[in-house]
């Protein structure tokens, strides 16, 4: 369908004649003369008629033309309205809890825990320094060392006991527990070590027999040995601090027949001590046994200071005579055999 001829707005604000197929040069006169523009009017592209045909106007002097009437589009039936859903019931909201001021904790009050300040881990312990537990740990360590010294073992056992008690008490105090646990462990291990060492020393002390085995026997310190003492059993070169002696008129193994002191100075060592024993003991053997050492069926050996006893001032060496037959009854002085 084409647009019928008529006056239409060509898009430039003026009426132009449309001949039914295109625009013509006929322009309707405007009510007021257009103002002259100092510059030429811009290029206006051909006007494209609107989709809806405009109402034509009659040319000058022509009778008016009635605008064509177009049938209106049939009205479409409206969709049925669905019934509105019932409103969802509204329930009252839960009441908001607001703590009463009298139940609010005062974290700044004495005895209340300090609030988390962002630098300590949540739940970290703020227990004080374990002074009691540390004292128990030190006492247990010292007791372990002292209990292993043969001359003062009782002091070591007392320190071990004090360390155990202090460490145990520290576990029930409001303090860090590491020192108490360590003190208990050191106390137990120290007691076991001291007990083992005590059994070893007791075994070495009693290597020459018990004082109750022979009438008149007694246990003395090794530093108290002197000429004329007899030993019921051999010591087998072991280090000892106490020894049992018996009367020489009864059964025995060794008899001390000579002793001498070494000069002061540093500990000379085992080899130097052996040289000194041979140099001093062999000449005295003949004077005691009334026979030259090379001709005798008897023999001798010696007791020397240990490095520990040397540091304590011990400089005495003893010469002992014995028989290869074993037990001897009576002294070997003047035996001449």
């Amino acid at each position: 369908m084409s647009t019928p001829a008529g006056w239409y707005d060509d898009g430039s604000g003026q009426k132009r004649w449309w001949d039914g197929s295109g625009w013509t040069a006929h322009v309707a006169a405007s009510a007021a003369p257009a103002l002259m523009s100092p510059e030429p009017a811009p290029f206006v592209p051909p006007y494209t008629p609107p989709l809806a045909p405009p109402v034509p106007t009659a040319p000058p002097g022509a009778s008016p033309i009635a605008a064509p009437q177009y049938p209106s589009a049939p009205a479409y039936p409206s969709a049925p309205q669905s019934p509105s859903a019932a409103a969802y019931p509204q329930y009252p909201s839960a009441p908001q809890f607001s703590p009463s001021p009298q139940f609010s904790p005062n974290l700044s009050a004495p005895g209340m825990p300090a609030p988390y300040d962002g630098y300590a881990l949540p739940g970290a312990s703020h227990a004080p320094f374990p002074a009691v537990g540390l004292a128990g740990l030190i006492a247990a360590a010292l007791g372990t060392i002292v209990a292993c010294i043969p001359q003062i073992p009782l002091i070591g056992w007392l320190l071990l006991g004090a360390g155990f008690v202090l460490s145990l008490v520290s576990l029930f105090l409001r303090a860090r527990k590491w020192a108490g646990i360590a003190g208990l462990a050191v106390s137990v291990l120290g007691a076991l070590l001291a007990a083992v060492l005590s059994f070893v020393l007791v075994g070495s002390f009693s290597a020459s027999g018990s004082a109750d085995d022979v009438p008149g026997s007694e246990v003395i310190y090794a530093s108290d040995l002197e000429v004329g003492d007899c030993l019921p059993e051999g010591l087998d070169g072991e280090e000892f601090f106490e020894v049992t002696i018996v009367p020489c008129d009864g059964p025995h193994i060794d008899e001390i027949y000579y002793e001498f002191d070494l000069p002061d100075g540093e500990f000379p060592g085992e080899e130097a001590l052996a040289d000194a024993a041979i140099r001093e003991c062999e000449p005295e053997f003949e004077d005691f046994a009334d026979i030259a050492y090379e001709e005798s069926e008897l023999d001798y050996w010696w007791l020397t200071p240990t490095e520990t006893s040397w540091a304590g001032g011990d400089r005495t060496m003893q010469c002992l005579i014995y028989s290869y037959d074993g037990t001897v009854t009576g002294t070997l002085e003047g035996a001449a055999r």
Side-chain angles (χ1 to χ4, degrees), residues 3-336:
T3 303
W7 294 99
Y8 300 101
D9 189 352
D10 61 358
S12 63
Q14 60 183 354
K15 300 292 186 179
R16 186 181 295 275
W17 181 257
W18 173 265
D19 61 357
S21 62
W23 294 107
T24 64
H26 301 287
V27 179
S30 58
L35 297 176
M36 296 301 292
S37 174
E39 295 186 7
F43 172 76
V44 178
Y47 177 74
T48 303
L51 295 178
V55 178
T57 58
S63 60
I65 301 175
Q69 299 294 325
Y70 297 96
S72 60
Y76 291 95
S78 60
Q81 298 295 327
S82 60
S84 59
Y88 192 78
Q90 299 294 325
Y91 295 97
S93 59
Q96 298 296 324
F97 174 75
S98 59
S100 178
Q102 61 266 26
F103 295 105
S104 299
N106 183 9
L107 297 181
S108 61
M112 294 298 294
Y116 174 59
D117 56 5
Y119 293 97
L121 294 176
S125 175
H126 297 283
F129 183 77
V132 177
L134 188 59
L137 177 59
I138 295 174
L142 291 177
T144 301
I145 297 173
V146 175
C148 295
I149 301 177
Q151 288 81 0
I152 49 175
L154 181 59
I155 298 177
W157 283 103
L158 292 176
L159 288 174
L160 283 173
F164 182 85
V165 172
L166 290 174
S167 300
L168 184 62
V169 170
S170 68
L171 298 181
F172 297 94
L173 300 178
R174 187 180 177 274
R176 300 173 187 174
K177 309 301 181 184
W178 62 267
I181 296 174
L184 289 177
V186 173
S187 299
V188 174
L189 294 178
L192 292 176
L193 179 61
V196 171
L197 184 60
S198 298
F199 284 126
V200 172
L201 293 178
V202 168
S204 64
F205 293 161
S206 59
S208 58
S210 172
D212 298 333
D213 295 339
V214 180
S217 63
E218 61 177 324
V219 178
I220 64 173
Y221 288 108
S223 58
D224 295 335
L225 285 172
E226 57 187 15
V227 175
D229 290 337
C230 292
L231 310 179
E233 293 182 0
L235 300 178
D236 299 331
E238 297 179 357
E239 181 176 338
F240 60 92
F241 300 93
E242 293 181 342
V243 65
T244 300
I245 60 174
V246 296
C248 291
D249 57 359
H252 62 275
I253 299 294
D254 300 315
E255 182 180 352
I256 299 177
Y257 69 91
Y258 181 68
E259 67 179 13
F260 61 95
D261 292 334
L262 298 172
D264 292 334
E266 295 183 356
F267 182 69
E270 297 295 336
E271 185 175 354
L273 292 176
D275 293 340
I278 295 173
R279 184 176 61 252
E280 298 289 340
C281 294
E282 189 168 325
E284 296 295 331
F285 181 91
E286 183 176 357
D287 293 342
F288 181 79
D290 199 19
I291 189 173
Y293 174 70
E294 294 81 2
E295 302 174 0
S296 177
E297 63 183 31
L298 305 176
D299 206 344
Y300 73 93
W301 66 291
W302 52 87
L303 299 177
T304 66
T306 64
E307 188 171 0
T308 302
S309 65
W310 184 279
D314 183 13
R315 301 290 187 271
T316 304
M317 294 187 63
Q318 287 95 8
C319 304
L320 295 86
I321 188 171
Y322 68 95
S323 173
Y324 287 107
D325 295 335
T327 303
V328 176
T329 300
T331 181
L332 293 176
E333 183 176 7

